[in-house]
Amino acid sequence: MTALDRPALIDPESVRGFLSREEGEALARAARRVGGLGPIVEVGAYCGRSALYLGPAARAAGTVLVSVDHHRGSEEHQPGWEWHDHELWDEAAGALDTLPAFRDAVRRAGLEDAVVALVADSRVAAHLLRGPFGLVLIDGGHALKTALGDWRAWAVAVAPGGMLAIHDVFPDPADGGRPPCEIYRHAVASGLFEAAETVGALRLLTRVG
Ligand code: MG
């Protein structure tokens, strides 16, 4: 193990989030493999669980993780929705704020040198950042407009030979919302990507075009 090749100092599963350990470890393996092609990007950071898998992998590959989130929560995190967590509510702002939890997790994990937080709307961030990227994880909002917007904004920025990862792909509608599954199918149908790996609700695709 080199100085750059060290794991997060806290267990990612101790941080709020929706990614399973198996999914996180698959993401980390992929990011280490393709991190030499460019930075790693995640769209949708929430409280930092996925950053704790991707950050060490990016660092080991000699790059960084750019973690994009407006930190106001997705549709499904808003009050009255299924995944609302009132502990993340900022009374003064009258809005959700996941940035303090994210920053705390990254600090406690010893990843401040490996994780760059970009507090911005996904499409604004895509305009600001220059690819190509080694790996882009789309794990943002599940509304169709949001998911399609993320696909359009980020897919073309994946380096040839790099990877696109999509979380919350549920082929059976009984298991979850459709939009992530629809953008996954779109990615395969586009000819730009080939399916590479399936782990839980995570799909990994390799950019071929
Ligand atoms: Mg997710």
Side-chain angles (χ1 to χ4, degrees), residues 16-30:
R16 281 181 180 86
F18 307 97
L19 196 74
S20 72
R21 190 180 297 284
E22 293 69 29
E23 292 167 341
E25 288 174 352
L27 275 175
R29 282 193 302 274

Side-chain angles (χ1 to χ4, degrees), residues 11-209:
D11 183 356
E13 299 301 306
S14 69
V15 171
R16 281 181 180 86
F18 307 97
L19 196 74
S20 72
R21 190 180 297 284
E22 293 69 29
E23 292 167 341
E25 288 174 352
L27 275 175
R29 282 193 302 274
R32 287 175 74 113
R33 248 188 345 259
V34 297
L37 299 173
I40 309 303
V41 174
E42 65 169 354
V43 179
Y46 197 53
C47 297
R49 183 185 286 186
S50 47
L52 268 50
Y53 288 106
L54 287 171
R59 182 166 58 196
T63 188
V64 294
L65 168 68
V66 182
S67 193
V68 175
D69 201 311
H70 46 57
H71 285 287
R72 294 303 188 192
S74 300
E75 301 80 359
E76 60 273 21
H77 301 138
Q78 301 307 318
W81 288 69
E82 186 180 6
W83 300 107
H84 180 63
D85 182 340
H86 197 70
E87 284 181 24
L88 299 170
W89 188 255
D90 177 344
E91 288 293 345
L96 215 65
D97 188 0
T98 53
L99 183 58
F102 175 86
R103 194 162 198 203
D104 179 62
V106 169
R107 177 187 60 78
R108 289 188 295 121
L111 287 168
E112 288 187 326
D113 61 333
V115 177
V116 178
L118 180 51
V119 182
D121 174 81
S122 159
R123 273 165 279 184
V124 172
H127 281 294
L128 294 172
L129 294 180
R130 192 179 297 268
F133 303 112
L135 181 148
V136 174
L137 166 63
I138 296 181
D139 191 15
H142 293 173
L144 183 60
K145 191 170 165 232
T146 309
L148 271 177
D150 287 341
W151 150 260
R152 286 199 195 101
W154 292 99
V156 293
V158 176
M163 301 196 87
L164 178 69
I166 304 172
H167 192 230
D168 302 307
V169 173
F170 300 110
D172 182 348
D175 297 329
R178 302 299 295 160
C181 188
E182 284 175 26
I183 63 167
Y184 170 69
R185 289 181 176 160
H186 209 63
V188 173
S190 72
L192 271 181
F193 295 92
E194 263 173 15
E197 197 179 347
T198 293
V199 179
L202 179 74
R203 298 293 181 277
L204 287 155
L205 305 106
T206 303
R207 178 152 185 191
V208 291

